[in-house]
């Protein structure tokens, strides 16, 4: 082979190699998404949900999808997340359906209704096996969003004072979000909302007598038991207190295999995180009762009786918000009838 042929052969080989490398790089392009939330980094959900999801997606996509995480208020306020994702300013956020009730008629049901579930498995069954998740996901799709619940778990109250009667409960100033704000107000409390990042100071100064923020892990990690040492062990509700919202155009810009991995991972994440959270709740409860001087109490009978009445009223309010809400409540009533002991 003469020199000119060798040079030509080398040039062709180099061209083919360059083309092959370019194709691989194109196929393995990295997608970095800015993702923010309403939760501070002190929240256990930051580590055990957001960071967990980030790591799982990076592993399953071989590093092609990377979530760049930002804590509460670093990019947007809690009530701004829906519009930020809807408009494509950021592709994804972990928010709470409590902040979405003006947009999605089933958001209040997603957050959780008092009296709906007695145990976590019931809520998980309703969301995933009976089909409630598909109802709210269809609603969100109308705004160009993909909706995925993070997990289901109890929503518990902590208090600076022992609640020993309805008289004590009435007039208590309680921080709460979503549907429970109306519910606790109707029971007799002065319920209102402030961001969770402001709650410690509000409790410490006596601005609030009690608060509701997740359950044991959340309250403990945020330091709330330091200023409110009574844990009310009767949950206000059990629901999906956090959910991921993702811009559908951002999803469509991903390669098909990453789209599939993302959605499959979110489904796996719901189940594994729900179970993991239940385990961590038990561990955290033992710890706070032994080392933080926290007392677990039950609500007195007169408070519970009034809550039962008001829970029924809340269900009716949510049911009347529209066809999707009505279908979701009908499904919930059917489920409750199926497992009723009466």
């Amino acid at each position: 082979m003469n020199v000119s042929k060798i040079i030509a052969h080398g040039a062709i080989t180099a061209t083919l190699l360059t083309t092959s490398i370019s194709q691989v790089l194109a196929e393995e392009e990295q997608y970095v998404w800015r993702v923010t939330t309403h939760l501070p980094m002190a929240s256990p959900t930051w580590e055990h949900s957001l960071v967990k999801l980030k790591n799982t997606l990076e592993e399953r996509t071989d590093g092609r999808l990377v979530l760049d995480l930002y804590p509460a208020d670093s990019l947007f306020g809690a009530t701004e997340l829906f519009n930020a994702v809807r408009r494509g300013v950021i592709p994804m956020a972990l928010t709470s359906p409590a902040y979405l009730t003006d947009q999605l008629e089933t958001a209040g049901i997603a957050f959780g209704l008092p009296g709906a579930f007695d145990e976590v498995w019931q809520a998980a069954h309703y969301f995933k096996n009976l089909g409630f998740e598909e109802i709210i996901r269809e609603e969100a799709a109308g705004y160009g969003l993909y909706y995925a619940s993070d997990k289901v778990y109890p929503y518990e109250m902590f208090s600076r004072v022992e609640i020993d009667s309805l008289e004590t409960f009435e007039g208590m100033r309680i921080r709460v979000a979503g549907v429970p704000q109306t519910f606790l107000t109707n029971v007799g409390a002065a319920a209102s909302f402030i961001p969770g990042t402001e709650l410690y100071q509000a409790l410490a100064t006596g601005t609030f007598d009690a608060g509701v923020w997740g359950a044991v892990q959340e309250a403990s990690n945020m330091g709330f038991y330091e200023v409110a040492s009574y844990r009310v062990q009767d949950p206000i509700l059990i629901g999906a207190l956090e959910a991921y919202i993702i811009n559908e155009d951002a999803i469509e810009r991903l390669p098909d295999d990453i789209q599939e991995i993302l959605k499959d991972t979110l489904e796996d994440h719901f189940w594994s995180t729900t179970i993991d959270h239940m385990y961590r709740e038990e561990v955290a409860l033992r710890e706070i009762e032994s080392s933080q001087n926290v007392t677990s109490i039950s609500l007195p009978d007169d408070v519970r009786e009034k809550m039962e009445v008001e829970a029924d009223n809340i269900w009716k309010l949510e049911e009347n918000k529209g066809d999707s809400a009505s279908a979701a409540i009908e499904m919930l009533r059917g489920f409750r009838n199926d497992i009723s002991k009466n």
Side-chain angles (χ1 to χ4, degrees):
M1 183 179 291
N2 61 34
V3 173
S4 61
K5 287 184 177 180
I6 293 173
I7 293 173
H9 183 269
I12 292 170
T13 302
T15 300
L16 291 173
L17 181 60
T18 301
T19 302
S20 177
I21 292 173
S22 297
Q23 287 174 344
V24 171
L25 289 174
E27 290 172 0
E28 296 189 355
E29 182 177 356
Q30 187 180 70
Y31 298 83
V32 180
W33 281 6
R34 289 193 304 165
V35 179
T36 189
T37 179
H38 64 296
L39 298 168
M41 293 178 71
S43 165
T45 296
W46 173 271
E47 180 68 26
H48 300 305
S49 285
L50 265 172
V51 174
K52 174 185 174 182
L53 181 65
K54 167 187 169 67
N55 292 340
T56 304
L57 284 172
E58 287 184 24
E59 179 182 350
R60 292 185 177 184
T61 64
D62 295 322
R64 289 184 294 154
L65 180 58
V66 175
L67 306 186
D68 184 18
L69 305 182
Y70 294 83
D73 301 324
S74 57
L75 295 181
F76 302 97
T79 58
E80 300 169 323
L81 296 177
F82 183 90
N83 283 330
V85 178
R86 179 176 65 86
R87 293 169 181 165
V89 181
I90 54 174
M92 180 177 179
L94 177 65
T95 185
S96 171
Y99 304 133
L100 309 182
T101 53
D102 289 339
Q103 292 85 15
L104 307 179
E105 66 184 59
T106 56
I109 302 169
F111 188 79
L113 295 180
F117 308 111
D118 306 310
E119 299 179 47
V120 170
W121 74 263
Q122 297 173 358
H125 179 67
Y126 174 73
F127 271 74
K128 293 297 187 175
N129 295 339
L130 295 184
F132 172 75
E133 182 96 339
E134 292 304 319
I135 293 176
I136 191 168
R137 186 170 291 166
E138 183 177 348
E139 265 203 277
Y143 291 90
L145 298 175
Y146 185 83
Y147 186 101
S149 298
D150 178 58
K151 59 182 175 293
V152 288
Y153 65 102
Y155 194 48
E156 293 184 356
M157 185 188 305
F158 39 86
S159 175
R160 297 172 67 245
V161 299
E162 184 174 4
I163 305 169
D164 55 8
S165 67
L166 180 60
E167 183 178 359
T168 301
F169 187 84
E170 290 177 339
M172 283 182 66
R173 296 159 296 178
I174 303 174
R175 182 272 176 198
V176 70
V179 170
Q181 186 173 331
T182 301
F183 172 62
L184 294 182
T185 297
N186 291 348
V187 176
S192 59
F193 171 80
I194 61 170
T197 50
E198 300 175 14
L199 182 52
Y200 183 97
Q201 184 65 19
L203 288 165
T205 58
T207 304
F208 280 86
D209 302 305
V212 193
W213 177 269
V216 177
Q217 294 174 75
E218 295 283 349
S220 179
N221 282 36
M222 296 288 284
F224 297 143
Y225 291 130
E226 296 172 6
V227 287
S229 61
Y230 290 98
R231 169 198 169 238
V232 180
Q233 61 189 10
D234 313 294
I236 302 300
L237 52 83
I238 298 172
L241 308 186
E242 291 93 27
Y244 295 95
I245 50 173
I246 310 173
N247 184 283
E248 289 191 330
D249 289 338
I251 295 177
E252 288 296 321
R253 287 192 289 270
L254 297 173
D256 290 346
D257 67 318
I258 297 183
Q259 291 185 39
E260 185 175 351
I261 290 170
L262 172 62
K263 292 181 180 180
D264 287 348
T265 299
L266 286 168
E267 288 300 308
D268 294 345
H269 178 85
F270 172 88
W271 292 106
S272 65
T273 307
T274 293
I275 295 168
D276 181 63
H277 191 86
M278 292 170 66
Y279 159 72
R280 292 180 185 279
E281 280 292 291
E282 291 297 321
V283 173
L285 178 58
R286 302 296 173 265
E287 182 178 336
I288 64 163
E289 290 181 334
S290 64
S291 64
Q292 295 189 32
N293 197 31
V294 174
T295 302
S296 293
I297 61 173
S298 294
L299 292 171
D301 290 343
D302 52 358
V303 175
R304 292 167 63 89
E305 288 168 5
K306 189 164 185 183
M307 281 184 167
E308 288 178 8
V309 173
E310 295 303 333
D312 187 57
N313 293 333
I314 289 293
W315 283 40
K316 292 174 182 176
L317 286 174
E318 294 300 308
E319 187 174 25
N320 291 331
K321 286 187 174 181
D323 292 341
S324 294
S326 178
I329 292 292
E330 181 180 2
M331 182 191 300
L332 183 55
R333 292 190 195 282
F335 171 67
R336 292 301 310 179
N337 287 337
D338 288 343
I339 64 172
S340 175
K341 296 178 181 179
N342 296 326

